[in-house]
Amino acid sequence: MRCKRCHGPIRSRDTESLQKVWAWLVAGIIAFIPANIYPMLLTSTLFDRSEQTIIGGVIELVHYGSYGIAAIVFIASIMIPVGKFIAIAYLAWAVQHRSSRNQHQRHKLYDVVEFIGRWSMIDVFVVAILSALVQLNAVATINPGIAALSFGLSVIFTMLSALAFDPRLIWDEEEPVRHD
Amino acid sequence: MPRVHLTSRNRTAVQTLLESMSLPPLDDLIACPHCDTLHIERALPEGGSARCVRCGIVLVTRRSDALVQMVSLACAAVILMMAAISFPFLDINAAGFTNETSVLSAIMAFSSGNGVPVAIAVALFIIVLPLTRLLALIYAVGPLVLGHKPRPGARIAFAMTEQLRPWAMAEIFMVGVAVALVKITGMAQVTIGPAFWAFVTLVIITIFNDRIMSRYTVWKALDLTSRD
């Protein structure tokens, strides 16, 4: 069946929804591990070469005294991805266990996850800008490390995981009868 | 007063009840895109807008110039995008060495190693997808503004602008630029080029356009014009 207005497919429920959610989520978590272990930025100046991981970048920003920016990077690259893994896993788990509790809150949580996920991309863009800009021959060059790639993939995989979740599944269990 | 709950026992009863009630024709119903609450469409006065009773999101706005505004903002954004990718974005100056980057040259600069996939991702998220969205919107709504019939595939084009929304990340890129500037100021002197401001304006216009864009108005206009 197709929508008569936008010709998109119409289904009552996406029966493979949870399978896709788990698959993308696992892929996202796997990609997140090297993203934190390996360097995000490879900096070489006249005197030395240094490698910087995501956490290393945050610590350096704190050393410079840019607490606000450090907080943005920390929230976008660590807290949002980890929070998203937990949130999506909880949503899928609750549907699988036919939970009928907190349906409104779970729907809200889904909205938040869907809205906020793309903001994790900030760090990948930072790396892209720095490495494009800082190409000063011998004086200083910055190149993207392998973590930039795996972090970007992790964000994309988790976005796909969130998009695969069918929020209507939240409402399929009967609400417990409340005597009020 | 006891509330009616849908249990398996009374679900069929409720279904037959719903079927026996005369629902208005489907075309007159609006489902809230956020919470799926069904509303019945009423004619709105010029300049009026209707909000969802449950979650408060704007469902319909009636402004005769809404489509014109949407298309002209999209055209402005396309022109700004051209400026933003071709003019110098940032200049860096350290110890006598300078490097001038435009967004386009930044993407071209990666030719080996880890840079290639990152460059492709950046190009997709900040140039290709936003531009596709804008052009699809102009393609779908533009003919309506000029009083023509919609072009073939206008519906698919408009559905695409909606689906690509989460993947167009120009505003996130701007936050990334801000972080990069802070990181770099200790190391070198950075001058902001004209493309930077073009990009900022572009982001503001895009956010504004997405805010005022009423999906329902566009679909309604597409329905009306393709009928006759």
Side-chain angles (χ1 to χ4, degrees):
Chain A
M1 231 170 100
R2 292 195 163 264
C3 168
K4 64 172 188 167
R5 195 167 248 172
C6 72
H7 307 316
I10 301 180
R11 275 185 291 188
S12 168
R13 294 292 179 274
D14 183 355
T15 42
E16 273 110 51
S17 171
L18 288 183
Q19 217 179 91
K20 285 185 253 176
V21 169
W22 284 117
W24 286 122
L25 184 66
V26 169
I29 294 174
I30 291 174
F32 190 67
I33 298 167
N36 280 284
I37 297 173
Y38 290 106
M40 195 89 173
L41 279 178
L42 310 169
T43 315
S44 45
T45 61
L46 272 181
F47 316 104
D48 68 331
R49 290 172 54 84
S50 67
E51 299 181 340
Q52 203 176 57
T53 55
I54 294 177
I55 281 290
V58 175
I59 293 169
E60 195 198 71
L61 282 169
V62 171
H63 273 290
Y64 283 154
S66 332
Y67 298 108
I69 299 283
I72 291 178
V73 176
F74 183 73
I75 291 169
S77 337
I78 308 283
M79 277 170 61
I80 292 180
V82 173
K84 238 185 119 173
F85 295 145
I86 297 169
I88 294 173
Y90 166 66
L91 287 172
W93 178 86
V95 167
Q96 266 170 343
H97 284 74
R98 307 179 155 275
S99 162
S100 57
R101 288 160 54 189
N102 309 326
Q103 284 164 322
H104 280 279
Q105 289 92 322
R106 268 152 57 198
H107 195 100
K108 221 121 231 121
L109 179 67
Y110 174 73
D111 273 354
V112 172
V113 164
E114 219 193 1
F115 169 80
I116 219 165
R118 39 208 292 277
W119 284 93
S120 303
M121 270 302 193
I122 289 177
D123 226 23
V124 176
F125 290 143
V126 172
V127 171
I129 298 155
L130 285 179
S131 48
L133 194 60
V134 186
Q135 295 293 343
L136 300 168
N137 300 327
V139 181
T141 51
I142 291 182
N143 284 306
I146 193 77
L149 176 59
S150 46
F151 188 79
L153 284 177
S154 171
V155 176
I156 291 171
F157 290 156
T158 11
M159 278 177 73
L160 288 169
S161 173
L163 286 174
F165 186 79
D166 187 344
R168 291 171 299 185
L169 292 171
I170 296 173
W171 300 97
D172 281 349
E173 286 313 310
E174 289 155 12
E175 244 178 308
V177 179
R178 269 176 274 161
H179 300 281
D180 46 8
Chain B
M1 204 187 112
R3 282 202 278 159
V4 179
H5 292 284
L6 277 179
T7 67
S8 41
R9 257 166 285 117
N10 65 14
R11 180 170 279 169
T12 35
V14 172
Q15 260 165 9
T16 32
L17 180 71
L18 277 177
E19 277 154 20
S20 69
M21 287 185 342
S22 54
L23 277 174
L26 272 183
D27 284 356
D28 293 347
L29 290 172
I30 309 172
C32 169
H34 256 225
C35 68
D36 283 355
T37 310
L38 275 181
H39 301 76
I40 297 172
E41 195 203 352
R42 289 276 152 74
L44 284 171
E46 175 66 29
S49 61
R51 290 169 178 277
C52 170
V53 287
R54 191 201 262 165
C55 66
I57 195 176
V58 176
L59 291 174
V60 199
T61 47
R62 212 186 90 99
R63 281 200 321 270
S64 48
D65 59 347
L67 296 183
V68 181
Q69 198 177 19
M70 205 183 280
V71 172
S72 32
L73 282 176
C75 289
V78 170
I79 296 166
L80 282 170
M81 179 66 100
M82 297 302 158
I85 57 181
S86 45
F87 288 130
F89 192 74
L90 294 170
D91 293 340
I92 186 172
N93 191 325
F97 287 90
T98 53
N99 186 19
E100 190 183 83
T101 359
S102 69
V103 176
L104 211 56
S105 74
I107 289 157
M108 299 300 193
F110 298 108
S111 51
S112 64
N114 302 327
V116 178
V118 176
I120 293 171
V122 172
L124 269 181
F125 290 141
I126 69 165
I127 298 174
V128 178
L129 293 181
L131 204 56
T132 313
R133 279 193 71 204
L134 291 169
L135 293 176
L137 183 67
I138 295 171
Y139 178 82
V141 187
L144 303 185
V145 171
L146 299 174
H148 299 306
K149 287 191 129 205
R151 288 176 176 279
R155 284 159 190 277
I156 295 167
F158 185 67
M160 195 173 69
T161 58
E162 285 295 315
Q163 272 161 12
L164 286 181
R165 192 189 283 231
W167 300 99
M169 303 187 179
E171 73 272 27
I172 300 168
F173 178 73
M174 283 320 292
V175 179
V177 172
V179 175
L181 284 178
V182 170
K183 278 196 163 193
I184 219 169
T185 38
M187 224 170 121
Q189 204 192 341
V190 180
T191 325
I192 288 166
F196 180 86
W197 298 113
F199 214 93
V200 172
T201 322
L202 169 76
V203 166
I204 294 169
I205 286 183
T206 311
I207 293 175
F208 181 68
N209 210 4
D210 280 347
R211 288 241 138 193
I212 63 159
M213 178 148 72
S214 156
R215 279 185 264 196
Y216 190 76
T217 317
V218 176
W219 285 124
K220 203 83 186 171
L222 284 173
D223 281 352
L224 284 176
T225 45
S226 41
R227 210 169 281 160
D228 43 37

